[in-house]
Amino acid sequence: AFTLAHTLTLTLSTLSLTWPALNWINVPRGFVELMIAASIIAIALQNVLWPTSARGKARLAIAFAFGLFHGLGFAGGLKQAMSEMPGSTMATALGSFSLGVELGHQIIVLPLFILLYAARYAGRTADHPRPWVATAAMRYCSALICAGGIWFLVEALK
């Protein structure tokens, strides 16, 4: 959901360079940065305060909504870099950039997912279906991420 959303806004936003009539998405950079920071804080707080609600349709909807703003954040820098490119190379640049972003996400997310999966199921018993170590790891790591999001929020407000 997150990937689909940020790819959608990234593509629509950068297409306006080639086709100005498609300049449908024009959100101030400061607001986008605030929303990105707020999204990091919101998801991290959800993991800290309600770790069992970190899945499901509501979480997918939240990920999609926040992904829209993250795509606009990526688009800001990419539009600047692409502004002097000929139109024929923009599709290649957009595709390459998107692929690089997704590979970067996977390089970070997949190892963390595997570690959390292992922590969640290691030592699982009928009495303790979810080991405390998995919940504690998610909560403490999310608290650190929340602190980073707060720092980004303060920077965006300057």
Side-chain angles (χ1 to χ4, degrees):
F2 182 84
T3 299
L4 178 65
H6 80 71
T7 301
L8 178 69
T9 52
L10 173 66
T11 302
L12 289 175
S13 184
T14 54
L15 281 177
S16 67
L17 290 171
T18 306
W19 298 293
L22 292 178
N23 195 14
W24 302 326
I25 302 173
N26 195 5
V27 181
R29 183 172 177 85
F31 181 73
V32 170
E33 289 176 4
L34 285 172
M35 289 303 296
I36 290 171
S39 72
I40 293 167
I41 294 166
I43 294 298
L45 282 177
Q46 184 184 23
N47 289 343
V48 171
L49 301 174
W50 304 283
T52 57
S53 67
R55 296 179 182 189
K57 291 180 183 177
R59 184 64 174 254
L60 285 175
I62 291 168
F64 183 84
F66 289 150
L68 294 172
F69 288 102
H70 284 252
L72 290 174
F74 289 134
L78 185 60
K79 282 172 73 172
Q80 186 177 1
M82 290 174 51
S83 65
E84 309 238 351
M85 286 183 173
S88 61
T89 61
M90 285 188 180
T92 303
L94 177 61
S96 299
F97 181 82
S98 294
L99 181 63
V101 166
E102 290 316 313
L103 287 174
H105 280 149
Q106 297 311 312
I107 287 170
I108 292 179
V109 170
L110 285 177
L112 290 174
F113 178 80
I114 291 167
L115 284 172
L116 286 174
Y117 183 86
R120 181 175 291 132
Y121 292 102
R124 190 175 201 179
T125 65
D127 295 335
H128 299 289
R130 184 171 183 163
W132 66 270
V133 70
T135 302
M138 183 173 73
R139 281 185 162 161
Y140 290 119
C141 291
S142 293
L144 290 172
I145 291 168
C146 183
I150 291 169
W151 183 82
F152 282 116
L153 182 66
V154 169
E155 288 296 312
L157 288 171
K158 288 183 179 178

